[in-house]
Amino acid sequence: MLMNVKNEIISVLGGLLKEIAKNHVEFSVEMPKNEGFGDYASNIALVLFKDKGLMVNNKFKTSMDLAKVVSDKLNTSSLIPNLCSRIEVVKPGFINFYLSKSYLFSQLEQILEKKEKSGSKNENLNKKVVVEYSSPNIAKPFTIGHLRSTIIGNAIANLLQANGWKVFRDNHLGDWGTQFGKQIYAIKTWGNEEIIEQSKNPVKELVALYIKFHEDAEKNPELEEKAREWFKKLENGDLEARRLWKKCVGWSLKEFQIIYKKLGVNFTENNGLGYGEAFFEDKMKDVLRELNDKKLLKKSDGAELIFFQNNIFPPLMITKKDGTTLYATRDLATDKFRLEKYGKDVLIINEVGAEQSLYFNQLFEAEKMLGWIKDGQRIHVKHGLYKFKDERMSTRKGNAIWLEDVLQEAVKRAEKFGSEKKEIAEKVGIGALKWNDLKRSSNLDIVFDWDEILNMQGDSGPYIQYAFARIQSVLTKVKNQNAKVKITNLNFKLNDEEISLLRALNKFPEAVEQAGEKFAPSILCNYLFDLTGKFNLFYQKHKIIESEQKNFRLMLTQAVGEIIGNGLALLGISAPENM
């Protein structure tokens, strides 16, 4: 397993703090933008000198004096023989760390010997997390808007697993709620079950009926009441309502599974289906009973709500005046189930749109009031919306872009880009789509533009994939010559590009750890883009197979390929061996 050098330096500095500081001090260890300033730099001396009262001995006249003392202590620590070739002090008091050649070589060998473990930690059963992502609504289209939660959530789950978490992947399908009253009414009034059943895309038939309902409801508001009546029947177990609801679920799941397969996304819970809202139909009564027992429900116009202390949030409605339930009722039942199933300390993450921020604040606060969770145990990872330049996408308005259409267009563009084989075109096209989403901060909105979301040049998925394929081509040539990549004598001078690549390879575990801790796949994307750029420069400037340092450069090339392949896999992006 590759060492996380940054954590090792922080640990050694933390030990030194006990000697020179009265209390714990928050300091940083970062990677300098200019590689000439070393592999890592710490501001520990600057932080200590800023408040001399923190130090046991405050005789230092400048921060440089303090930094030199810290540096001297570091030079007698285990860092020098194990990791660093030297440690230097630069104005105004930064301490720079330069990794040794022998250490970088040892990391290179680790990558080649333990390919499957590069950047990963062993699973820790005490660290359990439920990651809820995708969660599309039954009988509604799987649109471009659902892509973000699906691929961001999947990448976060992969990153947490690589960081040692036991990950439960859940798909909280929207298969319950008032919308089914609307859908059932529409089917009964205007639909033809036989036509829907025989359709290649039954969900599109259902969506057309859903849109018609809303168009007619604008002219005749009484239809909304009809829909509520049908949902009430559904909750009460009406046979006809249940029959049509099951039909809608079956038609939808069939289409969803096709999309998940194309995206390479899967779930672990409930036999891979995920626990949809309907699963908790018979579990809501226990939540309502507990809310009542703890006197957390108050009546208002016939509805039941949770009111928050000091009105920090608006009241959260739990049941409507007709007694029917809402998202909040089902979500409370869902989290109660999770805490009982996976353990009271399990971390629960919802990868859901940023527009739901207020709702999740209300939900998390309600769970604290119930005494279920501690601070930080419930996390809402927010993503921005895909939207048009002048308006928001909406299923009920009929202006949403179907994800299936986007995936087909992605493959077509990949074929034009040069990926002739259908299988490779799918990997390249879908890779482009995923990368262009994952490379940016997830909380930002994305204006839908075909050329942008399917970009295949520059900072793009195909750019990274092509580097991986190029590496496989080099290694295949060696195999065809019956030669092997092997550990070789490493006592020779490295050029700048080789040193830069070795340094970059060393930082893969840090990128994986930071991306997981911050729930930010973009951090790993940035790392892979930087690594790929460094490799391409090395490839352009230096021969590999015909070099005097052939074995070493093949080792370096293979290691870069391993890291790129591992990194893309964590992002949920395929790495084709030829393009």
Side-chain angles (χ1 to χ4, degrees):
M1 189 188 306
L2 290 178
M3 180 186 291
N4 188 319
V5 180
K6 180 177 176 178
N7 287 348
E8 186 69 17
I9 292 173
I10 289 172
S11 176
V12 172
L13 287 174
L16 287 180
L17 267 180
K18 295 176 182 179
E19 299 179 30
I20 58 179
K22 296 175 183 177
N23 303 304
H24 178 72
V25 178
E26 292 295 332
F27 62 91
S28 68
V29 173
E30 304 294 344
M31 291 178 279
K33 291 183 180 179
N34 185 335
E35 291 187 355
F37 293 141
D39 294 278
Y40 301 92
S42 178
N43 67 345
I44 186 170
L46 294 170
V47 173
L48 278 171
F49 190 78
K50 188 175 181 181
D51 188 349
K52 293 184 179 181
L54 292 171
M55 290 183 285
V56 173
N57 185 339
N58 61 6
K59 65 181 180 180
F60 304 103
K61 293 181 179 180
T62 68
S63 54
M64 284 290 288
D65 292 337
L66 176 55
K68 286 174 183 175
V69 169
V70 175
S71 175
D72 289 342
K73 288 181 178 290
L74 287 168
N75 278 305
T76 60
S77 73
S78 60
L79 276 178
I80 288 297
N82 292 337
L83 298 176
C84 297
S85 59
R86 69 186 192 277
I87 297 170
E88 293 181 349
V89 174
V90 296
K91 293 182 178 180
F94 286 104
I95 301 173
N96 293 345
F97 302 81
Y98 295 79
L99 295 177
S100 67
K101 181 178 173 181
S102 61
Y103 172 73
L104 291 173
F105 283 159
S106 72
Q107 291 292 81
L108 178 63
E109 293 174 356
Q110 284 283 315
I111 293 170
L112 297 179
E113 291 174 4
K114 300 181 179 180
K115 301 173 187 176
E116 76 285 355
K117 289 294 183 183
S118 296
S120 299
K121 296 179 181 177
N122 294 327
E123 184 177 89
N124 183 344
L125 294 178
N126 293 321
K127 293 169 61 178
K128 296 180 181 179
V129 59
V130 175
V131 184
E132 175 193 310
Y133 53 100
S134 193
S135 307
N137 288 321
I138 294 296
K140 289 187 179 180
F142 206 122
T143 70
I144 185 68
H146 294 101
L147 177 69
R148 304 211 71 190
S149 177
T150 304
I151 64 173
I152 295 171
N154 184 64
I156 288 171
N158 292 341
L159 288 164
L160 289 172
Q161 188 169 323
N163 284 326
W165 288 81
K166 171 66 176 174
V167 181
F168 304 97
R169 302 162 185 257
D170 200 9
N171 189 6
H172 194 52
L173 291 164
D175 57 0
W176 203 251
T178 307
Q179 71 268 26
F180 286 100
K182 299 175 182 179
Q183 195 71 63
I184 293 169
Y185 177 85
I187 294 172
K188 297 287 289 183
T189 306
W190 307 295
N192 184 313
E193 288 184 53
E194 188 175 341
I195 291 175
I196 299 172
E197 191 76 56
Q198 294 175 357
S199 172
K200 290 183 179 179
N201 300 103
V203 174
K204 286 192 175 181
E205 301 291 337
L206 295 174
V207 170
L209 291 170
Y210 187 74
I211 292 169
K212 180 169 177 55
F213 175 89
H214 283 281
E215 288 174 346
D216 282 33
E218 286 184 9
K219 304 169 190 173
N220 182 10
E222 292 180 5
L223 294 187
E224 295 285 354
E225 185 57 37
K226 297 286 187 184
R228 282 190 284 271
E229 289 173 4
W230 271 109
F231 180 54
K232 181 74 172 175
K233 289 180 180 180
L234 181 62
E235 285 211 309
N236 291 338
D238 179 84
L239 293 179
E240 178 64 0
R242 290 289 170 120
R243 183 186 71 81
L244 288 171
W245 169 74
K246 287 180 181 177
K247 285 274 189 180
C248 290
V249 171
W251 290 325
S252 300
L253 286 177
K254 185 178 179 180
E255 288 196 31
F256 291 171
Q257 292 306 320
I258 293 171
I259 289 174
Y260 288 136
K261 185 176 181 180
K262 286 184 178 180
L263 290 175
V265 169
N266 57 69
F267 306 92
T268 61
E269 303 314 282
N270 196 22
N271 298 315
L273 293 175
Y275 292 107
E277 292 182 56
F279 178 82
F280 303 97
E281 179 198 358
D282 63 348
K283 297 170 178 58
M284 289 184 281
K285 60 181 181 294
D286 289 338
V287 171
L288 293 172
R289 186 182 303 113
E290 185 172 351
L291 286 167
N292 276 307
D293 290 346
K294 293 181 178 178
K295 297 181 170 46
L296 294 177
L297 284 184
K298 293 184 180 179
K299 290 273 189 179
S300 178
D301 295 327
E304 292 181 304
L305 303 94
I306 296 175
F307 287 79
F308 300 101
Q309 191 172 10
N310 299 322
N311 296 316
I312 56 171
F313 304 119
L316 179 64
M317 187 178 292
I318 302 300
T319 62
K320 297 178 183 178
K321 62 182 179 181
D322 63 359
T324 54
T325 58
L326 297 97
Y327 285 122
T329 331
R330 296 184 285 280
D331 282 346
L332 286 171
T334 301
D335 285 342
K336 183 178 176 65
F337 169 80
R338 288 167 172 166
L339 292 164
E340 291 172 349
K341 181 177 174 65
Y342 309 115
K344 60 182 178 62
D345 294 323
V346 68
L347 179 67
I348 302 173
I349 297 173
N350 301 87
E351 206 304 326
V352 182
E355 76 278 7
Q356 296 292 326
S357 293
L358 172 60
Y359 168 70
F360 278 106
N361 283 334
Q362 293 171 303
L363 185 68
F364 298 169
E365 188 64 25
E367 292 181 6
K368 282 194 226 173
M369 291 165 66
L370 282 159
W372 293 355
I373 63 170
K374 303 184 288 274
D375 284 335
Q377 195 176 347
R378 293 289 279 103
I379 294 172
H380 174 202
V381 176
K382 308 166 188 176
H383 67 254
L385 299 173
Y386 268 108
K387 60 184 182 180
F388 298 116
K389 289 181 180 180
D390 54 353
E391 63 177 331
R392 179 174 168 175
M393 295 183 186
S394 171
T395 301
R396 67 176 62 185
K397 291 181 180 178
N399 69 344
I401 295 177
W402 289 62
L403 184 56
E404 179 63 33
D405 296 337
V406 177
L407 296 180
Q408 290 176 2
E409 179 65 19
V411 175
K412 287 180 184 176
R413 294 196 179 205
E415 289 173 331
K416 291 179 182 178
F417 185 69
S419 302
E420 297 176 1
K421 292 184 179 179
K422 185 80 171 179
E423 180 184 354
I424 295 175
E426 284 193 355
K427 292 178 179 178
V428 173
I430 292 173
L433 182 64
K434 287 185 174 184
W435 181 274
N436 279 293
D437 192 313
L438 295 173
K439 74 178 183 181
R440 65 190 81 222
S441 296
S442 61
N443 63 309
L444 300 176
D445 288 343
I446 300 177
V447 176
F448 185 86
D449 178 271
W450 284 106
D451 293 331
E452 170 63 18
I453 69 167
L454 296 178
N455 176 38
M456 298 198 182
Q457 298 180 342
D459 186 358
S460 67
Y463 172 75
I464 312 297
Q465 289 171 317
Y466 185 72
F468 179 83
R470 171 180 277 171
I471 288 169
Q472 304 317 305
S473 176
V474 171
L475 297 175
T476 298
K477 287 179 184 177
V478 176
K479 291 175 184 175
N480 290 340
Q481 296 171 6
N482 295 319
K484 292 183 179 180
V485 178
K486 59 185 179 181
I487 305 300
T488 185
N489 175 22
L490 300 174
N491 187 25
F492 55 87
K493 186 176 180 180
L494 297 170
N495 61 51
D496 290 345
E497 288 72 37
E498 290 167 337
I499 293 173
S500 185
L501 267 181
L502 284 169
R503 285 173 157 180
L505 289 171
N506 170 71
K507 292 176 174 63
F508 179 59
E510 294 164 31
V512 173
E513 182 175 282
Q514 190 178 15
E517 287 179 348
K518 296 187 176 181
F519 314 115
S522 61
I523 291 173
L524 181 55
C525 288
N526 292 337
Y527 167 82
L528 291 176
F529 181 64
D530 178 69
L531 175 65
T532 300
K534 285 179 166 60
F535 173 77
N536 285 340
L537 180 61
F538 162 75
Y539 183 84
Q540 291 162 12
K541 292 185 69 172
H542 306 286
K543 293 180 179 179
I544 298 177
I545 297 177
E546 299 173 3
S547 163
E548 290 183 7
Q549 307 300 340
K550 171 183 172 181
N551 280 340
F552 166 69
R553 290 185 177 174
L554 283 171
M555 288 171 62
L556 188 59
T557 299
Q558 184 177 0
V560 173
E562 292 296 335
I563 295 300
I564 290 177
N566 288 344
L568 287 175
L570 289 174
L571 295 169
I573 297 175
S574 297
E577 294 197 357
N578 54 74
M579 287 175 65

